Amino acid sequence: MADPSSRPESNPTIYKQALDFALDVAKGRHALSKLIPPALFLVDALLCGLIIWKVPYTEIDWTAYMEQVSQILSGERDYTKIRGGTGPLVYPAAHVYIYTGLYHLTDEGRNILLAQQLFAGLYMVTLSVVMGCYWQAKAPPYLFPLLILSKRLHSIFVLRCFNDCFAVLFLWLAIFFFQRRNWQAGALLYTLGLGVKMTLLLSLPAVGVVLFLGSGSFITTLQLAATMGLVQVLIGVPFLAHYPTEYLSRAFELSRQFFFKWTVNWRFVGEEIFLSKGFALTLLALHVLALGIFVTTRWIKPARKSLVQLISPVLLAGKPPLTGPEHRAAARDVTPRYIMTTILSANAVGLLFARSLHYQFYTYVAWSTPFLLWRAGLHPVLVYLLWAVQEWAWNVFPSTPASSAVVVGVLGVTAAGVWFGAREEWELGMKSSSKKEAAMR
């Protein structure tokens, strides 16, 4: 009989090989890694179909959108007089144009099934853009399953038909084109998204920094900013021409009063504090402070100058903040990963200190959290755990003190984590290397 000790240790070797293979695929080190996004995309397409087939549609704002469009088509241009069943029209004109198209496509909003199918298509288009942004930023494939697993996100798109779905598509399209250094297209898409819902204002500081550093020219940056502003004017012309004050005060209302019963994020502070002016001012101050910290210590690092050094030439001498060679050097450090990290971190900071978040705001959270948690340097197990806890919190209805505390807590961990963990991305002389890529994965 053969000596057992002489037998090859096949099982441990096979297990180790299988584990190494799985890790290589999950971390993007194997040729099969490229198949993960398309495979997940197909799975999610089937899932969307099943949701429409099996889960009843939930009416929230769709009918109100259609009622508001009907009034506009009847000739009303005064935003203060345009109302639906859930309240007045409080979105910019691009929202009106999109839902006017849906109004005609869906038999004045009556064909709900067709609307759901259109929003399922919108979801899949947005998912493909998000996956493209992740891939361009060299995010590891193990993050991609988190992009299709959100119950709340599917609900917002195919069961609720919120306008946030269009706004978030434009945001991700802007990131997509910024990553490919197509600044004009990215700026146009971003301002179109802002024309759907002003929530995209949360990302504006980071978009400005990316355009300034990435475009390679201060003049180009000013031209892009002017174009974005002009597009907003053109979008609003039918309303600005007749009732400009009414349009601006409603479409971009910054002093809106929020209802405690709908808040997802601040229920744990209690209604009295939530409704107080002091609480609102505190959040605003913290938001400005956090943005200042990110701008001065992280986002402008590719410029290799402090904020004061950048501003001084413009204010004191009317000169560009960077010379031609300095601007070109900074532009080289504006990588796809830098762009995505910067814009999504601004979004996370803004949502963290938002006066109130409603469930549809999860569209701006769900697809950004996995990337930011990875950029924070967290272990994959922690990334999945925090994502799952966040997903639970956003699915609690109505929100509770515990769920709202989790919403704020995960946003806080995300914002702080990316500030600490992704600091290398914003350090001077950023250069990618195979060694650094391996460490990040």
Side-chain angles (χ1 to χ4, degrees), residues 310-376:
L310 290 172
I311 294 176
S312 295
V314 180
L315 297 180
L316 300 179
K319 295 181 180 180
L322 295 172
T323 65
E326 288 174 337
H327 219 141
R328 288 189 291 273
R332 286 193 293 270
D333 288 336
V334 180
T335 63
R337 185 179 294 174
Y338 166 90
I339 291 168
M340 191 160 159
T341 305
T342 301
I343 293 177
L344 294 185
S345 63
N347 185 63
V349 168
L351 293 170
L352 172 61
F353 298 112
R355 181 70 175 78
S356 182
L357 298 179
H358 297 168
Y359 288 97
Q360 59 266 39
F361 282 73
Y362 197 49
T363 53
Y364 310 102
V365 177
W367 280 320
S368 63
T369 296
F371 179 82
L372 291 177
L373 291 177
W374 168 66
R375 295 296 294 121

Side-chain angles (χ1 to χ4, degrees), residues 164 167 190 193-194 197-203 347 351 361 364:
D164 302 82
Y190 172 78
L194 185 57
K197 195 164 186 178
M198 67 179 231
T199 308
L200 265 63
L201 281 173
L202 298 177
S203 302
N347 185 63
L351 293 170
F361 282 73
Y364 310 102

Side-chain angles (χ1 to χ4, degrees), residues 72-93:
I72 293 168
L73 292 176
S74 298
E76 184 60 71
R77 294 294 181 268
D78 184 347
Y79 252 56
T80 62
K81 296 181 180 179
I82 302 172
R83 301 183 62 87
T86 57
L89 176 59
V90 293
Y91 308 116

